[in-house]
Amino acid sequence: MRLGGPPRGPCSGPSPAGPGRSPDRVQGCEKPQSRPGRARPASPGPAAPSGARGSPQPGRPASARRARPRTLPPFGTRLWSRRRPPSPEARGRAEARGEVLPGQRARKMAAPMELFCWSGGWGLPSVDLDSLAVLTYARFTGAPLKVHKITNPWQSPSGTLPALRTSHGEVISVPHKIITHLRKEKYNADYDLSARQGADTLAFMSLLEEKLLPVLIHTFWVDTKNYVEVTRKWYAEAMPFPLNFFLPGRMQRQFMERLQLLGGKHRPENEEELEKELYQEARECLTLLSQRLGSQKFFFGDAPASLDAFVFSYLALLLQAKLPSGKLQAHLRGLQNLCAYCTHILSLYFPWDGAEVPPPRQTPVGPETEEEPYRRRNQILSVLAGLAAMAGYALLSGIVSIQRATPARAPGARSLSMAEEDEEE
């Protein structure tokens, strides 16, 4: 049944192909007739044949000749389908493509958080204790961070590492405050812990900071062999010129001041007695951690917490570095469950970062490429800039001074000047 429109003409019947064909396709018909209202007046001459322009067709009513034939889609197909709400599958596909569905407002995605930290080495994703702890906590919680692993702390927005730039542009540079901000953003690794487990976390955290942190600072920054052959060597090779000349020494002084603050007033003044006491307390702390961990995967069951992030950062640095003077390292390697604990976290959460550093890219041997002259030019300019900065620093600090020397006179000229002075007198 056809709703609306003029009655069917002689050419508007069903198509020969059957009812499945589109109704707006008309086959077997001649060219549609023009409107009879615009017919030209009959000119003198021979009569026009039947079907010519301006001649009425016999046997067709006038109403059919005046109306223009239209073809409408079947009722309930296209017009009605556009008003249907999208199905859940279509809604999911549209959200995946980032499209805005009817009834929704276009929302701008929040800027991602950016983490600036020290780059990796010694088989670890980062060689810095604080950077490693923040990185591990972020991996545990799955926080969407854009990580920048750098070797120049001046490239950080705060001038120190680690540093977190939030989605609102705020910069946080203290590790505990960074983790607190991640918790506020609903990336909390301690969400399922009980009150007792939370108290145990605070107790072990204070134990790590009091007993194990001083020994780590002493091992990497105070011990002469370890500092020269491992710590300073890595930072000097990783940092750009000319920062590698003075930044490692500056960092060493900062860590020694931190060690004095951690030591307190009750520490012995003798260096040997202080070292003996520090290492004894650290060995006891490692033994206690081994007993608390037992045969579990993590300290509070099968899921990691914030305590695991800090314990892993302490133990992994001590376990992975190739230290020539490893007094505490030998004791840690004797605790098998702690070694397996570190290896498990490295392989599970840092499958590529925890591996050895990939080999550098090999440039093909041959004529210079297009980037080669620019690279050499940048190296030369950086060396000249470094030399100019060192010379300016030496002049401003008074290490080097420029004095204008008086020209030496010949003996004859000196006697002549003395004679002139006598005559003037």
Side-chain angles (χ1 to χ4, degrees), residues 18-210:
R21 297 292 299 267
S22 175
D24 54 353
R25 292 185 180 181
V26 181
Q27 297 183 1
C29 294
E30 297 179 356
K31 203 170 186 179
Q33 303 293 329
S34 61
R35 296 183 181 181
R38 297 182 181 179
R40 297 177 182 177
S43 58
S50 176
R53 178 178 295 183
S55 61
Q57 295 182 358
R60 189 172 183 181
S63 60
R65 293 198 301 269
R66 292 193 188 98
R68 187 176 183 180
R70 294 185 303 170
T71 56
L72 298 176
F75 182 76
T77 56
R78 294 182 182 178
L79 296 178
W80 181 256
S81 62
R82 291 181 183 176
R83 298 193 183 104
R84 288 180 182 175
S87 62
E89 293 80 5
R91 185 183 298 270
R93 290 193 297 268
E95 291 179 355
R97 292 193 301 266
E99 299 177 359
V100 180
L101 298 175
Q104 294 182 349
R105 295 182 179 180
R107 295 182 299 175
K108 293 183 178 180
M109 295 182 63
M113 295 181 288
E114 298 182 62
L115 178 64
F116 298 82
C117 62
W118 284 101
S119 62
W122 310 329
L124 296 173
S126 179
V127 299
D128 179 62
L129 178 65
D130 297 334
S131 299
L132 185 57
V134 175
L135 268 176
T136 307
Y137 184 86
R139 287 292 179 92
F140 285 169
T141 58
L145 293 179
K146 185 178 181 181
V147 181
H148 303 276
K149 294 184 179 181
I150 56 180
T151 56
N152 184 1
W154 292 355
Q155 294 179 354
S156 168
S158 64
T160 57
L161 295 175
L164 177 70
R165 179 183 289 159
T166 65
S167 56
H168 305 289
E170 182 185 0
V171 178
I172 307 173
S173 57
V174 181
H176 291 279
K177 293 183 179 180
I178 293 175
I179 292 178
T180 302
H181 178 78
L182 294 180
R183 288 175 177 172
K184 291 180 181 178
E185 296 293 329
K186 298 181 181 180
Y187 298 102
N188 188 0
D190 300 337
Y191 182 78
D192 295 328
L193 297 185
S194 63
R196 182 176 180 179
Q197 291 173 340
D200 291 345
T201 300
L202 296 178
F204 277 99
M205 289 288 295
S206 61
L207 182 67
L208 290 173
E209 188 172 353
E210 183 180 355

Side-chain angles (χ1 to χ4, degrees), residues 397-412:
S397 60
I399 299 176
V400 177
S401 60
I402 300 176
Q403 296 180 357
R404 186 175 181 181
T406 57
R409 298 181 179 179

Side-chain angles (χ1 to χ4, degrees), residues 149-338:
K149 294 184 179 181
I150 56 180
T151 56
N152 184 1
W154 292 355
Q155 294 179 354
S156 168
S158 64
T160 57
L161 295 175
L164 177 70
R165 179 183 289 159
T166 65
S167 56
H168 305 289
E170 182 185 0
V171 178
I172 307 173
S173 57
V174 181
H176 291 279
K177 293 183 179 180
I178 293 175
I179 292 178
T180 302
H181 178 78
L182 294 180
R183 288 175 177 172
K184 291 180 181 178
E185 296 293 329
K186 298 181 181 180
Y187 298 102
N188 188 0
D190 300 337
Y191 182 78
D192 295 328
L193 297 185
S194 63
R196 182 176 180 179
Q197 291 173 340
D200 291 345
T201 300
L202 296 178
F204 277 99
M205 289 288 295
S206 61
L207 182 67
L208 290 173
E209 188 172 353
E210 183 180 355
K211 305 296 182 182
L212 202 55
L213 180 57
V215 176
L216 281 179
I217 296 177
H218 188 277
T219 301
F220 285 94
W221 295 97
V222 180
D223 190 284
T224 306
K225 283 187 177 182
N226 295 337
Y227 174 70
V228 172
E229 299 182 17
V230 177
T231 309
R232 189 179 67 180
K233 180 182 178 182
W234 187 91
Y235 282 96
E237 292 177 354
M239 287 182 179
F241 178 85
L243 300 182
N244 53 358
F245 281 96
F246 60 90
L247 267 188
R250 180 183 175 185
M251 295 172 63
Q252 184 190 29
R253 291 189 294 270
Q254 292 176 352
F255 275 106
M256 292 180 70
E257 293 175 359
R258 188 177 178 182
L259 180 60
Q260 292 178 359
L261 293 176
L262 291 173
K265 300 180 180 179
H266 303 287
R267 296 291 185 182
E269 298 180 357
N270 189 2
E271 184 68 24
E272 295 182 359
E273 295 180 1
L274 175 61
E275 183 178 346
K276 182 178 180 180
E277 181 179 348
L278 287 177
Y279 280 87
Q280 178 64 28
E281 293 177 353
R283 283 191 289 267
E284 294 175 358
C285 178
L286 290 179
T287 304
L288 182 61
L289 289 174
S290 176
Q291 294 174 356
R292 176 65 179 81
L293 180 63
S295 59
Q296 301 180 114
K297 294 182 179 180
F298 301 100
F299 277 88
F300 297 113
D302 295 334
S306 60
L307 178 62
D308 296 281
F310 284 94
V311 172
F312 168 75
S313 61
Y314 280 78
L315 300 184
L317 274 178
L318 192 61
L319 187 64
Q320 293 292 116
K322 298 179 181 180
L323 301 173
S325 176
K327 302 176 183 178
L328 191 62
Q329 191 179 51
H331 181 74
L332 175 60
R333 289 177 176 174
L335 304 173
Q336 298 297 328
N337 60 340
L338 292 183

